[in-house]
Amino acid sequence: MRRPDQQTTTRPTTGPAPETGAAADTPAAGATGAESLSGGTPGPGLPPGATGPGHPAGTGPTASRATEGRPAGDLTTEAVLAPYLRAQAADFLRSLRLHHEHSAPADSGGHDAAAATRALRRAARRISGSLHTFRAALDPLWADQLRTELTWLTGVLAREHAYANRLTRLVEALHQLSGPALPAARGARAAGEGAASDAQGRAALGVGAARAGALLERRLTLARTRSHSAALQALGSSRFHAVADAVALLASDVPLAPGPAGRGSEELLEPAERAEQRLLAAVAALPPEDSEPYNEAQDAVWHQARLLLRLHRYAHEVVLGAADPALAAPVHALDLHRDAVEAAGAAAAAARTPRIAPATAYALGVLHADQRHEVEAARAVFRESWPYATVLTAP
């Protein structure tokens, strides 16, 4: 894995490997560039995770950096991955205790309960992502079962927060769009359009914005309320208690793979490199900058890159002890991209409501276009902030 000041001129030559099952739902954020974790560089025609000649897996210069500050023999599952998982399990249990304390009827600290829920999701995502990446070093049946349950839990807990953020984002965008003048980036028109057309469009938007906002608030508040009820039900279920018990056991004992597997440094370096190579292949396969701006079919590959970026950050945290700070801006850009995509989808779904007034439909259409502009802006920020630009520009 690369330190932030490293540069590279190589890129993977194959497309991104698809994530399946619970791993595809595992959130993550943080990554490195195109030099492989093992120190080798993928050559032409090599699949992601393969290394070039001269540096066997786990012996190259990057592997030396991975063992920096600790004896080479200590980069093992027992010395590195197990303590990481135990620490995340402890964070999970601590967040769960805080959530129970701040969710009590006598406690009015709703903000503290929300913060505890975010911390709970954060620890659950890291455990789940690490179980996926380093599955071969762990008891596979145990890892698959716990990862599936943690993915279910994080999904249930994330929905209420997502609906609340989506409503805030859309209402604020409507307020900006229906102001005295449409922002140029959002209300761009072909040159030569008359002032009369501009005034008519602004007037129609002003009439429909209030109704559109009310419609969105009804729809998203209802969805948020249902998600809140589902989260409370999940946290009180026997399924959740089984997950909490499994994490409590993880805090003291990490089931490793039987036999010698999982005891050598290659059991960490090779899976982490594969996570890195999948990320780099996904970034290399992203649509070019001049692609069609409203092609929503392209959203999926960007979402996939975001998920792979998160998985890679967790692997980076395990092997090197911290996320790569060079990727903070790209991570943030992909988070904004997801938010804008989902907000645009919510506006489009509201516009399909039967029997709404034309002015309301018009305002929702403008809002949808506005959020698609935000999608493109987030993609541009990602391209500009990605520290290994050759991955994006190589033919």
Side-chain angles (χ1 to χ4, degrees), residues 165-317:
N165 282 357
R166 201 170 304 158
L167 177 59
T168 299
R169 180 186 185 93
L170 289 170
V171 169
E172 289 179 351
L174 270 176
H175 178 73
Q176 293 178 5
L177 289 168
S178 60
L182 292 178
R186 302 170 186 257
R189 303 176 308 279
E193 281 190 4
S197 176
D198 175 60
Q200 290 175 356
R202 193 178 299 117
L205 182 59
V207 170
R211 294 178 180 176
L215 175 60
L216 288 168
E217 186 167 0
R218 287 195 302 272
R219 291 172 61 93
L220 293 176
T221 299
L222 177 60
R224 180 186 179 184
T225 301
R226 289 174 175 170
S227 297
H228 179 73
S229 299
L232 292 178
Q233 184 176 3
L235 291 174
S237 67
S238 58
R239 183 177 183 181
F240 171 75
H241 288 299
V243 175
D245 290 343
V247 175
L249 291 175
L250 176 62
S252 59
D253 179 42
V254 178
L256 302 179
R263 278 28 178 207
S265 61
E266 69 278 2
E267 297 298 329
L268 296 184
L269 293 175
E270 291 178 2
E273 176 179 340
R274 286 194 293 271
E276 180 182 64
Q277 291 300 314
R278 285 195 296 267
L279 166 66
L280 295 173
V283 172
L286 290 174
E289 189 171 3
D290 57 355
S291 59
E292 184 181 354
Y294 289 98
N295 186 352
E296 298 180 6
Q298 296 177 353
D299 294 343
V301 294
W302 286 90
H303 293 329
Q304 179 73 357
R306 175 177 172 272
L307 293 173
L308 292 174
L309 191 55
R310 280 192 160 187
L311 284 174
H312 179 68
R313 183 180 69 175
Y314 300 154
H316 198 284
E317 288 178 356

Side-chain angles (χ1 to χ4, degrees), residues 12-14 41-48 50-53:
T13 57
T14 61
T41 303
L46 292 178
T51 58

Side-chain angles (χ1 to χ4, degrees), residues 2-383:
R2 186 174 309 91
R3 294 297 188 188
D5 57 351
Q6 282 188 263
Q7 298 297 325
T8 181
T9 57
T10 63
R11 70 179 181 92
T13 57
T14 61
E19 294 294 309
T20 59
D25 297 323
T26 304
T32 65
E35 183 180 296
S36 67
L37 174 67
S38 67
T41 303
L46 292 178
T51 58
H55 294 299
T59 63
T62 310
S64 299
R65 280 190 298 276
T67 58
E68 205 171 74
R70 63 167 68 96
D74 282 356
L75 191 65
T76 64
T77 300
E78 294 168 315
V80 177
L81 178 59
Y84 178 86
L85 289 173
R86 287 196 294 267
Q88 295 302 326
D91 286 346
F92 180 98
L93 297 173
R94 188 180 306 112
S95 302
L96 180 59
R97 177 177 57 80
L98 291 174
H99 183 274
H100 286 329
E101 291 176 356
H102 295 298
S103 298
D107 193 327
S108 59
H111 174 75
D112 292 333
T117 301
R118 287 194 297 271
L120 187 67
R121 289 167 46 212
R122 176 185 183 276
R125 289 196 306 262
R126 279 164 171 76
I127 296 171
S128 178
S130 299
L131 295 179
H132 168 65
T133 300
F134 302 105
R135 178 180 182 274
L138 303 164
D139 182 309
L141 180 60
W142 167 82
D144 290 344
Q145 290 177 341
L146 182 55
R147 179 165 56 90
T148 298
E149 295 304 291
L150 289 172
T151 300
W152 161 76
L153 178 63
T154 54
V156 170
L157 296 180
R159 292 189 191 106
E160 179 184 0
H161 176 73
Y163 283 124
N165 282 357
R166 201 170 304 158
L167 177 59
T168 299
R169 180 186 185 93
L170 289 170
V171 169
E172 289 179 351
L174 270 176
H175 178 73
Q176 293 178 5
L177 289 168
S178 60
L182 292 178
R186 302 170 186 257
R189 303 176 308 279
E193 281 190 4
S197 176
D198 175 60
Q200 290 175 356
R202 193 178 299 117
L205 182 59
V207 170
R211 294 178 180 176
L215 175 60
L216 288 168
E217 186 167 0
R218 287 195 302 272
R219 291 172 61 93
L220 293 176
T221 299
L222 177 60
R224 180 186 179 184
T225 301
R226 289 174 175 170
S227 297
H228 179 73
S229 299
L232 292 178
Q233 184 176 3
L235 291 174
S237 67
S238 58
R239 183 177 183 181
F240 171 75
H241 288 299
V243 175
D245 290 343
V247 175
L249 291 175
L250 176 62
S252 59
D253 179 42
V254 178
L256 302 179
R263 278 28 178 207
S265 61
E266 69 278 2
E267 297 298 329
L268 296 184
L269 293 175
E270 291 178 2
E273 176 179 340
R274 286 194 293 271
E276 180 182 64
Q277 291 300 314
R278 285 195 296 267
L279 166 66
L280 295 173
V283 172
L286 290 174
E289 189 171 3
D290 57 355
S291 59
E292 184 181 354
Y294 289 98
N295 186 352
E296 298 180 6
Q298 296 177 353
D299 294 343
V301 294
W302 286 90
H303 293 329
Q304 179 73 357
R306 175 177 172 272
L307 293 173
L308 292 174
L309 191 55
R310 280 192 160 187
L311 284 174
H312 179 68
R313 183 180 69 175
Y314 300 154
H316 198 284
E317 288 178 356
V318 170
V319 176
L320 294 179
D324 186 348
L327 292 175
V331 165
H332 183 60
L334 290 183
D335 286 344
L336 291 178
H337 176 273
R338 175 206 56 190
D339 293 345
V341 167
E342 293 178 347
R352 292 191 291 269
T353 302
R355 298 184 299 278
I356 60 173
T360 306
Y362 174 74
L364 290 169
V366 173
L367 182 60
H368 174 267
D370 170 77
Q371 291 303 301
R372 293 306 303 183
H373 279 300
E374 294 295 327
V375 169
E376 292 304 311
R379 293 177 181 179
V381 171
F382 175 83
R383 293 186 180 100

